[in-house]
Amino acid sequence: MSAAAGAVRARRRRKRLRRAGWNAIALAVFAAMVFPVYWMVATAFKSDDEIVGLTPTWLPEHPTLAHFRAAVEKPFFWTDVKNSLIVVSVTVAVSIVLAFLAAVALAKYRFTGRKLFVVLVIGIQMLPQTALIIPLYVVLARYRQVNALSGVVLTYMTFVLPFSVWTLRGFIIGIPKELEEAAMVDGSTRLGAFVKILLPLVAPGLVATSVFAFIQSWNEYIFARVLLNDQAKQTVTVWLSYFYGTSRHIDWGALMAGSTLTAIPVVIFFLLVQRRIAFGLTAGAVRG
Amino acid sequence: MRSRVFVALLAAVALGVVAATASAAGSRQAANRLTVWLQVDAQSGWPDVVANANQQFERDHPGWTVDVQYQNWGDHLQKLDAALAGGTAPDVVEMGNTEMTKYMAAGAFADLTGSKSKFANSGSWLKGLASSATYRGKLFGVPYYAGSRVVTYRTDLFKKAGITKLPTSLAELTADARKLLDRNKQRGFSPIYIAGTDWYVAMSFVYDYGGSIARTSGGKWYGNLDSKRSIAGLNAYKQFFLAVSRASKTTDEIHPNPYDVYAQGLAGAMLGPSWFSCCVGKYKNVTAQFVMPSHVKGQPMPGFLGGSDLAVPVGSSHQSAAVDWIADFTSTESEKALQAKGNIPNATNLLGASVNERAAARSWFVPTAKHWVDVENGNILRNMLAQILTGKLSVKQAASSASDNITRVLNQS
Amino acid sequence: MLGSRLTPDAAIAGARPGPRRRVSRARVARGATPYLLLLPVAVAIGAILGYPLVDLVRLSFQRYGLFELIRHSGSWVGVANYSSVLRDGVFWHTLLRTVVFTAANVGLTMVLGTLLALLLVRVSAWARVVLTAGLVLVWSMPVVVAVQVWYWMTNFQNGVVNYVLTSLGVGDFFQHDWYATTFSQLALVTTLIVWGALPFVAITVYAALAQVPHELVEAAQIDGAGPLRVFRDVTVPVLRPVLLILTSLSIIWDFGVFTQPYLLIGQSKITPGNYLMGIYLFEEGYFRGDYGRGAAIAILMLLIVAALSVVYVRRMARMGEEAT
């Protein structure tokens, strides 16, 4: 066996060891991050006595579905899940399309008023949302958008749009100039080239942004609460608030079960798009 | 050229979507629809009472429908403010009795003085509730129901500690608590669980010793916690708390829920609303209640009379229908049904002999000042109690600083 | 010239002089393109937020309490709301507390988030999937729910945190009161906010890392650059726009944060002694029903956060110029 081959093998072993070390760290981080989530799910499966018990148990001793049943049977669960899905999908779809257009304009064109628009987009996000509740309500009431899902969609767009424009712009700027130039030299037309070259390159950014927009609007509570009065028209976070908004007994188990159910659609959405993020690395390298 | 068309097309599509969302169905108030905001307690506790009132109303008013929308205590005022600003307030709204004054003073509610006779038992409404719905001699709300605070206790532990008869004075109760403590050495065990900053309990001591939170003189409000009697009450509270409760000295009566501590087996008794007995877990069969005794033997300690009123926002375009619905919902029959669910009915002639109702015989209420709710929400009392119990400040120092604060807040323009 | 320039066009302009000599109609088209692209967003935001923003500014110069709210009309008081806020000692204490709080939260979020993203690149594929899934689980938790869980884990009676710390022998944490002091309260809020923000930062930075061209990394490595140099010279330039955006967004969010501290500390423990700006605004302006003063606080907050993030925004703008 030659010395060179031995050295190669030693380097490979070192590399494997290092990777194993990183993996171990990743698992530790995973455990620490996920513990609160685990605690929520575990509590949802525990019996009432076990939940208030003085010594916490790591695993439910007598796992029960009673809390999940109570949550699902609570009035308006399915209606409100449906409402949330409608609000979120419309908000995300419309926002991402509009934001992408604006982001291209900001990142790739120079024009008068560009700076003003950037300042506006950033400035809007600096406004404390609590301050906007009443002025926004008054406007929406004027357009008969109170107690309507469309009013909530419009409201969500006001904070999802600036954010999305802002982040997508960052992703578009991050694309190395050489790639675009290469595409142009290849003879593509102006915007056609953009769409062909930009879209695949920006895909991870689009996905990350839409995941964010999805989660942001799925989890929003304050505006939905103020704008929607009718329980049949509310979103699922508002539905959840009825667990702890009573002056009476708070059913911790059912609250945790309801919370767990509320989180599921986000996880599903992510699973649907995670390939784009998880394999974004390679996608970025292949670059058409 | 192609790119321009493409951009224009995308923009058009995008705008179309925005327009479509914007014009989707909004809520249009039907002419004959009465919108009612009730707290969620009614939905989980007595939906049948609501349904009966609605039926009655719809029978008497053909063509009308009642739309009851349930709200949460946590943010219902924020919602009400927004709705008042947007001109979309409901026709009837349930208010906590300590929340009424601010809104009455601002002219948020319709004057119901002329309709008073339409409401059942309006001549004998509970004083605590009726006064919370009255501002400058006019009636702006209808008492809905009340709740008082009692001692919920473990009969088995009391028996084991050799307590054979229920205490009739504060001193007896404190002695009983000592006995309970001797028999239960478990760490964290409270003979009588009270959350440190539970101001409803603490102020009951103040009123029991003849003190008060604030007094009025010459049209001006003055904080009164630094008066001699109030300080005596606060001292008594401090001593009682330190002797009987192992609760956090800085926490309120929701974090944790006292009944959760009780269900953990960590309390021999707890002070709070009578419905606390709902949630005691496995101790259901060894749980009973008695009236909190005063420091004067044989008397009950005055308790805070919590409750709800029903009001009609001025913006409502169905004010007379709203009055009719309230009359149906607070009828003798309705109130009796509420009583059966463990609440105190709104009138003295309906009162029974339950512990809850006996405790209501001596009660106190917060100052009916326009800015009272700012004192409550500003946590002036809770902050004072935390300072007293942790020993950060002496009772006198804490009380006089809180008193000054109360004077300032209550006299804001 | 219409003040508009399509970048790639200009980039090629030297190589192919063709477009320069085209008729002006093409220029007009180019001039209109960015505006057409911006139009939908501008219309959407303008239509929904335009009036509320004007309204907010108007309110800040009016006496506008519950009484005025019901009658839909306030009375002009000039700058009285602003001067009352600026003369309020509570405002300045709160501002200082919030700046320190924001610095701690943003710093922790950005450093830990970037480290997590770099970790994601280094681990095996399966570990990456596991870790990303975990991050998304965390991310998917609604804030209101996370607050409940946090409270549940740290509660005085039987919080699992006290139990674990006691079991580990860290000390006697039986019924330790995590909500007893302002520092302890805000430290808990910090853990909650950083925990909740990490997934977003980590996943976004990770997505941005995907844009780092492999060839460049390899070329640098062949040139003998160590991992630190590769990171500094190849990775950071690509990440910079995203990192800057994330930092400025974090500053904006953390400075005005409301839900987490308000719900976790709990309304009943909120006093001027532990206010953050978002809570100050809500308590003094809205909870008390003094909407004019609330509007003034909101506008002051806007100005302050603008001042705090101006460094980032200006660097952003400069970078934008470089990129175009």
Side-chain angles (χ1 to χ4, degrees):
Chain A
M1 200 177 285
S2 75
V8 167
R9 204 170 303 150
R11 207 183 308 141
R12 221 177 266 156
R13 198 180 320 128
R14 259 208 315 278
K15 209 172 165 186
R16 214 179 304 137
L17 265 176
R18 210 181 310 146
R19 175 148 293 188
W22 290 125
N23 288 348
I25 295 176
L27 285 183
V29 172
F30 170 83
M33 289 292 285
V34 163
F35 181 75
V37 183
Y38 167 75
W39 201 241
M40 166 181 85
V41 178
T43 307
F45 283 105
K46 289 179 183 174
S47 67
D48 281 329
D49 282 343
E50 205 176 334
I51 289 174
V52 296
L54 204 51
T55 311
T57 47
W58 299 112
L59 281 169
E61 275 169 354
H62 311 285
T64 167
L65 283 175
H67 297 308
F68 285 94
R69 219 170 293 130
V72 172
E73 283 166 7
K74 202 175 167 74
F76 302 106
F77 174 70
W78 293 110
T79 325
D80 289 358
V81 166
K82 196 188 78 201
N83 292 340
S84 272
L85 286 174
I86 293 172
V87 166
V88 169
S89 48
V90 176
T91 306
V92 172
V94 176
S95 301
I96 294 296
V97 172
L98 300 194
F100 180 69
L101 298 180
V104 169
L106 287 183
K108 294 296 167 192
Y109 290 81
R110 266 184 148 189
F111 53 94
T112 5
R114 179 168 158 279
K115 272 210 174 111
L116 181 77
F117 191 83
V118 171
V119 169
L120 217 70
V121 161
I122 306 171
I124 285 172
Q125 298 178 78
M126 294 178 179
L127 274 172
Q129 285 185 1
T130 30
L132 283 176
I133 292 175
I134 288 188
L136 199 66
Y137 186 97
V138 171
V139 170
L140 292 175
R142 200 171 293 162
Y143 297 132
R144 297 197 173 282
Q145 293 298 308
V146 169
N147 205 14
L149 293 182
S150 48
V152 177
V153 169
L154 290 172
T155 309
Y156 287 4
M157 276 172 54
T158 64
F159 57 82
V160 169
L161 271 179
F163 163 82
S164 307
V165 172
W166 197 220
T167 354
L168 282 176
R169 174 179 180 266
F171 278 104
I172 295 171
I173 288 180
I175 290 167
K177 222 186 300 182
E178 303 80 36
L179 294 183
E180 288 158 24
E181 282 165 15
M184 297 311 294
V185 175
D186 286 352
S188 313
T189 52
R190 288 181 215 77
L191 211 110
F194 271 137
V195 173
K196 226 161 52 199
I197 306 294
L198 272 180
L199 267 184
L201 280 173
V202 178
L206 279 176
V207 171
T209 312
S210 56
V211 169
F212 181 84
F214 185 98
I215 291 175
Q216 188 81 342
S217 29
W218 179 267
N219 291 352
E220 204 285 329
Y221 166 72
I222 294 176
F223 283 108
R225 176 77 197 114
V226 173
L227 289 173
L228 302 170
N229 299 325
D230 208 332
Q231 276 176 302
K233 279 184 185 157
Q234 285 168 345
T235 58
V236 73
T237 42
V238 181
W239 171 84
L240 211 51
S241 74
Y242 282 83
F243 279 104
Y244 50 85
T246 157
S247 65
R248 301 269 162 130
H249 174 58
I250 296 177
D251 187 345
W252 281 102
L255 171 61
M256 293 297 154
S259 305
T260 307
L261 294 175
T262 305
I264 289 176
V266 184
V267 176
I268 291 176
F269 178 76
F270 182 76
L271 288 179
L272 289 179
V273 298
Q274 63 93 21
R275 287 176 64 92
R276 299 257 30 144
I277 292 184
F279 300 105
L281 256 184
T282 35
V286 171
R287 60 172 170 125
Chain B
M1 276 326 269
R2 234 174 67 205
S3 68
R4 191 168 53 149
V5 175
F6 177 74
V7 171
L9 208 71
L10 261 182
V13 169
L15 275 177
V17 178
V18 173
T21 16
S23 63
S27 69
R28 203 170 279 266
Q29 287 277 335
N32 289 340
R33 173 192 287 263
L34 193 76
T35 310
V36 176
W37 283 10
L38 289 182
Q39 295 300 329
V40 68
D41 309 52
Q43 187 179 29
S44 49
W46 43 93
D48 46 325
V49 181
V50 180
N52 286 341
N54 290 350
Q55 267 171 27
Q56 180 66 38
F57 176 84
E58 284 165 11
R59 235 193 335 268
D60 297 344
H61 300 75
W64 281 76
T65 50
V66 184
D67 181 14
V68 178
Q69 300 176 338
Y70 292 100
Q71 310 297 327
N72 283 324
W73 284 110
D75 43 26
H76 77 120
L77 291 184
Q78 218 179 319
K79 290 200 66 171
L80 181 63
D81 290 354
L84 288 170
T88 55
D91 300 305
V92 177
V93 60
E94 173 183 350
M95 301 285 291
N97 55 359
T98 64
E99 297 166 346
M100 283 293 287
T101 317
K102 179 179 165 189
Y103 286 84
M104 295 191 292
F109 299 140
D111 183 356
L112 303 178
T113 318
S115 321
K116 191 175 173 187
S117 57
K118 286 192 183 168
F119 306 112
N121 309 309
S122 56
S124 56
W125 276 340
L126 293 184
K127 232 181 87 205
L129 282 183
S131 64
S132 76
T134 311
Y135 187 74
R136 298 205 168 142
K138 286 183 181 158
L139 183 74
F140 291 98
V142 176
Y144 168 18
Y145 72 96
S148 60
R149 275 144 218 271
V150 301
V151 183
T152 304
Y153 73 106
R154 288 269 301 274
T155 51
D156 56 336
L157 293 185
F158 269 58
K159 202 180 286 169
K160 231 181 273 167
I163 303 164
T164 47
K165 78 181 210 351
L166 291 174
T168 57
S169 72
L170 193 59
E172 280 179 39
L173 182 60
T174 315
D176 290 346
R178 294 235 161 78
K179 286 186 211 161
L180 283 167
L181 200 55
D182 286 342
R183 281 311 204 92
N184 297 275
K185 295 286 189 197
Q186 193 188 356
R187 231 180 139 193
F189 177 86
S190 300
I192 303 168
Y193 182 93
I194 305 168
T197 65
D198 187 341
W199 63 277
Y200 300 107
V201 173
M203 291 306 118
S204 296
F205 280 76
V206 167
Y207 283 94
D208 194 34
Y209 280 80
S212 64
I213 300 173
R215 67 195 159 82
T216 166
S217 154
K220 221 182 146 216
W221 285 95
Y222 296 93
N224 198 34
L225 286 171
D226 53 351
S227 72
K228 229 169 122 188
R229 287 179 172 180
S230 297
I231 287 183
L234 289 171
N235 270 320
Y237 174 69
K238 182 180 180 179
Q239 280 160 18
F240 186 70
F241 177 90
L242 295 177
V244 306
S245 179
R246 295 288 166 272
S248 154
K249 289 166 183 161
T250 60
T251 202
D252 63 25
E253 62 283 359
I254 304 171
H255 303 95
N257 291 308
Y259 49 78
D260 284 338
V261 179
Y262 185 97
Q264 282 166 352
L266 279 184
M270 57 181 164
L271 255 167
S274 58
W275 55 262
F276 270 12
S277 59
C278 69
C279 318
V280 295
K282 55 185 179 235
Y283 302 121
K284 192 125 208 149
N285 297 323
V286 288
T287 291
Q289 298 182 322
F290 60 85
V291 179
M292 175 77 183
S294 156
H295 73 290
V296 179
K297 200 174 163 74
Q299 269 194 33
M301 183 178 274
F304 171 73
L305 192 70
S308 282
D309 300 316
L310 298 162
V312 180
V314 280
S316 161
S317 43
H318 308 306
Q319 297 195 358
S320 79
V323 165
D324 291 349
W325 183 85
I326 293 178
D328 289 336
F329 191 52
T330 57
S331 68
T332 302
E333 185 197 353
S334 281
E335 291 293 331
K336 287 209 158 140
L338 288 175
Q339 189 177 27
K341 309 267 179 187
N343 299 298
I344 298 179
N346 66 359
T348 48
N349 59 313
L350 302 175
L351 282 181
S354 69
V355 173
N356 190 18
E357 287 158 300
R358 273 186 285 131
R362 249 190 114 196
S363 66
W364 59 272
F365 192 64
V366 299
T368 50
K370 181 174 154 189
H371 284 291
W372 166 255
V373 84
D374 298 338
V375 173
E376 206 175 306
N377 292 340
N379 297 313
I380 295 175
L381 299 176
R382 291 193 194 276
N383 197 26
M384 173 190 75
L385 293 174
Q387 288 167 339
I388 289 176
L389 295 179
T390 54
K392 220 181 247 171
L393 292 179
S394 73
V395 172
K396 209 165 178 181
Q397 285 167 330
S400 82
S401 131
S403 216
D404 292 348
N405 258 329
I406 291 171
T407 307
R408 190 176 47 79
V409 171
L410 292 188
N411 293 309
Q412 288 173 86
S413 54
Chain C
M1 222 24 201
L2 257 174
S4 158
R5 180 162 67 92
L6 179 54
T7 326
D9 229 17
I12 323 156
R16 286 195 299 178
R20 282 254 161 119
R21 279 190 248 117
R22 277 204 191 145
V23 281
S24 59
R25 249 179 64 205
R27 277 197 203 140
V28 175
R30 260 179 280 146
T33 314
Y35 296 106
L36 280 174
L37 288 170
L38 285 184
L39 189 67
V41 168
V43 168
I45 293 180
I48 309 162
L49 269 190
Y51 178 79
L53 286 180
V54 174
D55 206 26
L56 194 68
V57 176
R58 192 172 53 88
L59 282 188
S60 75
F61 293 105
Q62 289 186 338
R63 183 191 159 83
Y64 210 91
L66 191 58
F67 184 88
E68 289 79 11
L69 182 88
I70 293 161
R71 286 157 192 80
H72 310 294
S73 76
S75 52
W76 295 94
V77 291
V79 293
N81 289 323
Y82 289 94
S83 57
S84 120
V85 173
L86 292 174
R87 272 204 308 266
D88 186 358
V90 175
F91 170 79
W92 296 102
H93 282 121
T94 306
L95 180 58
L96 182 66
R97 188 179 304 117
T98 312
V99 168
V100 174
F101 175 86
T102 307
N105 278 271
V106 174
L108 283 171
T109 309
M110 289 309 298
V111 170
L112 295 178
T114 309
L115 287 177
L116 258 177
L118 292 171
L119 180 64
L120 277 173
V121 177
R122 276 160 183 72
V123 295
S124 317
W126 63 266
R128 180 159 38 219
V129 172
V130 168
L131 190 50
T132 346
L135 289 177
V136 170
L137 276 178
V138 169
W139 203 0
S140 66
M141 220 144 137
V143 170
V144 278
V145 174
V147 171
Q148 303 291 350
V149 175
W150 231 252
Y151 166 71
W152 188 240
M153 294 195 310
T154 56
N155 83 67
F156 178 80
Q157 285 293 329
N158 64 343
V160 67
V161 171
N162 284 342
Y163 178 77
V164 169
L165 288 176
T166 309
S167 312
L168 290 177
V170 179
D172 181 10
F173 280 84
F174 179 78
Q175 298 203 336
H176 175 76
D177 192 348
W178 289 99
Y179 299 88
T181 66
T182 303
F183 180 80
S184 174
Q185 288 166 347
L186 292 181
L188 274 190
V189 174
T190 299
T191 61
L192 172 61
I193 289 177
V194 172
W195 175 82
L198 276 182
F200 167 58
V201 173
I203 289 177
T204 311
V205 173
Y206 178 70
L209 280 171
Q211 291 181 331
V212 178
H214 259 201
E215 293 85 341
L216 282 181
V217 176
E218 276 157 22
Q221 279 167 343
I222 289 166
D223 288 351
L228 263 180
R229 269 207 61 191
V230 172
F231 180 72
R232 201 187 66 202
D233 295 342
V234 182
T235 315
V236 168
V238 178
L239 286 190
R240 193 176 287 143
V242 170
L243 285 181
L244 275 177
I245 290 168
L246 290 176
T247 309
S248 48
L249 279 177
S250 301
I251 293 177
I252 291 170
W253 289 335
D254 292 350
F255 183 79
V257 70
F258 169 74
T259 314
Q260 289 95 330
Y262 190 75
L263 292 182
L264 185 62
I265 297 173
Q267 203 284 324
S268 71
K269 285 194 179 112
I270 301 282
T271 63
N274 61 10
Y275 277 170
L276 294 175
M277 285 309 284
I279 293 177
Y280 178 68
L281 162 70
F282 183 77
E283 289 274 328
E284 306 266 315
Y286 286 75
F287 220 28
R288 290 210 181 150
D290 192 346
Y291 302 98
R293 196 154 184 268
I297 297 174
I299 301 223
L300 287 171
M301 278 176 72
L302 174 78
L303 295 177
I304 295 164
V305 81
L308 286 180
S309 50
V310 71
V311 181
Y312 292 95
V313 175
R314 280 180 63 179
R315 283 190 68 181
M316 279 294 317
R318 218 172 48 221
M319 243 167 30
E321 303 302 309
E322 281 164 17
T324 40

